[in-house]
Each structure stands twice: as C-alpha cells, then as structure tokens.
Amino acid sequence: MRIARFTTGDDPRYAMVEGAPGAEELVVLRGDPIYMPVQLTGERVPLARADVRLLAPVIPRSKIIGVGRNYAEHVAEMGNELPAEPLLFLKPNTSVIGPDDPIVLPAWTTEVHHEAELAVVIGKVTKDVSPERALDQVFGYTVANDVTARDAQRTDGQWARAKGFDSSCPLGPWIVPGLEVDGLEISARVNGEMRQDGNTAHMVFDVAHLISYISAAFTLLPGDVILTGTPAGVGPIVHGDVVEVEVEEIGVLRNPVVRRD
Ligand code: MG
C-alpha cells in the first residue's frame, strides 16, 4: 500500500495510490489515515491529471528527529569518528516541503548539500519502547532529503539553522506501510548524475534501535518523523539543479533547487 497526501486546489486530502508508474490512480480517503482507520470515499483521481499535485505525505505534528553519522562510509568522508550512540538533532516542521517543491537556498549559506535518507513515520504514541517492539509503532516509511547548509553546520556549533531552515526537509512522494527496511537501495541523483548509492543494510544503528533510543529521550507522537541518516556521497546543490532521492520499494522524491537573490 502507498499513502499520499494531495491537493486539487482545495484543502489537502489523502489517498491510496494504485497502479503502475505513469498510470497511478489516487483512491481518495476520508480524513487522515495516520489518525483514523482507512475509509474510502469512492472517488478515484488520476495522478497525472493536470490539477493534481502531491504534497508532503505528512506534516509532523510535533517534530522531526534527525540522526547524524549513521552510515560508516559517510562518517569517514566527513572526517568524523563513528559515534558510540546515535547522534540526534531536531528539524522544525516548517522545514518540510513536498515532491517538486523548490529547495530554496538561503542567502546566508554558500554550501548546501543533499543527504538521501529513509524516513520513518511514527503511528502511535511512543515512549521507552524496546527495540523488539519498536517497529510496531511505525505507520510507514517515506523518502527524505536532509538538506544541510554545510558551512553553517561547521561554524554554528550546533545544527538548528544548518539543518532546520525553510525547505530543508523534502518528504515524499508517499508513505509505504509495512515495509521491510533493513536492505533497501538508497540513492541521490543531481541532474540525473548518481551522487549517493548506498543501502540501508549499512546503517550503524538500525531503525528499531533508533526508535528505541529516541523514545528514551522524547515522546514520539503519531505523525512525527525520524530521518535515519545518509550514506556516503553527499555533495553540493546549486540554483538550477534538480535533486532526486530514491529509496527502493518506496519511490523517487524530486525537488528543484533555487536561489532567490
Ligand atoms: Mg542527515
């Protein structure tokens, strides 16, 4: 199953996505499936219809928790030590944009990087969960780009601005519930050229461990999102680029990059 959030010009609605690539149909749902059981309205809308636009599949109700340095080769390329425990940071929900929305480069940075990531969407109130029970708390998985102002990340001392600015958290194109995520190809392409080519099997801390560790610090609410770290190959994006992040079995998240100054 794939769960999308979309608009045809009015308030956002949710849908199950059915059909093959290029011929998808949105099977429209009543309400938000993260918070209520799936109910069909009977309406079906072709995804390719001109007035249909996919939105970020979730706007986190309270927070996005990022995990830094969770793939060994990426830790090495940044010249960092492998962490003994997950390294956590927060992104505000105002950083979220959807498929095809522009990543807007802020005037105060000259070095913005893409980071391809698997994103976990929480489905239940979660506190102090064991790794063994952690995956029961997941609503589903989507694709994220943990867009990072690398220069500000180095100079600010902490990462709130570098990883939290408006449009620094593209999410989408939809949420896939019930996925096995311990061996998925994950990649980033810029203007069609492969930049990151990894596999979630290479995470230092797996998804169950991350949820458990995070829930020892924060109460996770339905709709909260965890970004699980990026594989090696991060690099710059500039005005005019198109960046695509893909996770196997989920889909492609595509965003143009613009600088407005
Ligand atoms: Mg990251």
Side-chain angles (χ1 to χ4, degrees):
M1 196 202 300
R2 296 173 286 178
I3 302 279
R5 183 167 160 266
F6 74 102
T7 181
T8 53
D10 298 321
D11 288 342
R13 292 186 289 168
Y14 294 83
M16 293 191 299
V17 183
E18 293 185 350
E24 293 101 339
E25 274 202 317
L26 299 173
V27 179
V28 181
L29 304 178
R30 206 179 302 285
D32 183 338
I34 295 179
Y35 303 107
M36 54 190 285
V38 167
Q39 291 178 49
L40 306 184
T41 62
E43 186 182 358
R44 299 176 76 94
V45 179
L47 179 58
R49 206 173 78 187
D51 63 335
V52 173
R53 189 163 69 89
L54 290 184
L55 303 169
V58 58
I59 298 294
R61 176 175 280 190
S62 71
K63 56 199 167 298
I64 301 151
I65 301 104
V67 178
R69 302 174 187 167
N70 199 32
Y71 287 79
E73 287 182 15
H74 170 63
V75 175
E77 76 178 343
M78 303 303 290
N80 294 312
E81 296 288 318
L82 213 58
E85 295 187 340
L87 173 61
L88 305 183
F89 59 93
L90 295 172
K91 290 165 87 88
N93 59 9
T94 45
S95 66
V96 172
I97 58 172
D100 299 310
D101 288 340
I103 297 166
V104 180
L105 305 175
W108 43 262
T109 172
T110 59
E111 188 186 5
V112 175
H113 281 193
H114 55 84
E115 293 191 357
E117 310 213 0
L118 171 72
V120 181
V121 181
I122 295 295
K124 300 173 186 168
V125 177
T126 301
K127 179 64 181 171
D128 291 330
V129 70
S130 67
E132 292 73 27
R133 306 296 300 273
L135 297 184
D136 297 341
Q137 308 302 109
V138 173
F139 178 77
Y141 300 90
T142 189
V143 181
N145 190 345
D146 177 23
V147 179
T148 301
R150 200 67 75 197
D151 45 2
Q153 187 185 26
R154 283 192 298 265
T155 55
D156 278 2
Q158 46 75 35
W159 301 354
R161 184 172 69 142
K163 285 180 172 286
F165 63 86
D166 291 352
S167 78
S168 66
C169 193
L171 293 176
W174 36 61
I175 297 169
V176 179
L179 195 59
E180 300 258 348
V181 293
D182 47 11
L184 300 177
E185 298 285 333
I186 178 168
S187 60
R189 295 181 295 274
V190 177
N191 307 326
E193 180 187 321
M194 186 74 86
R195 293 276 193 86
Q196 294 182 270
D197 185 11
N199 192 294
T200 60
H202 301 140
M203 286 185 189
V204 178
F205 303 104
D206 67 18
V207 169
H209 186 110
L210 292 175
I211 294 169
S212 175
Y213 184 86
I214 290 166
S215 79
F218 305 114
T219 299
L220 292 164
L221 300 183
D224 282 352
V225 171
I226 297 170
L227 307 186
T228 57
T230 199
V234 299
I237 47 176
V238 299
H239 177 80
D241 284 346
V242 175
V243 56
E244 293 172 298
V245 178
E246 180 165 7
V247 176
E248 183 184 6
E249 305 282 346
I250 303 178
V252 178
L253 171 63
R254 180 182 301 104
N255 298 93
V257 181
V258 302
R259 182 180 287 283
R260 294 185 179 132
D261 54 19

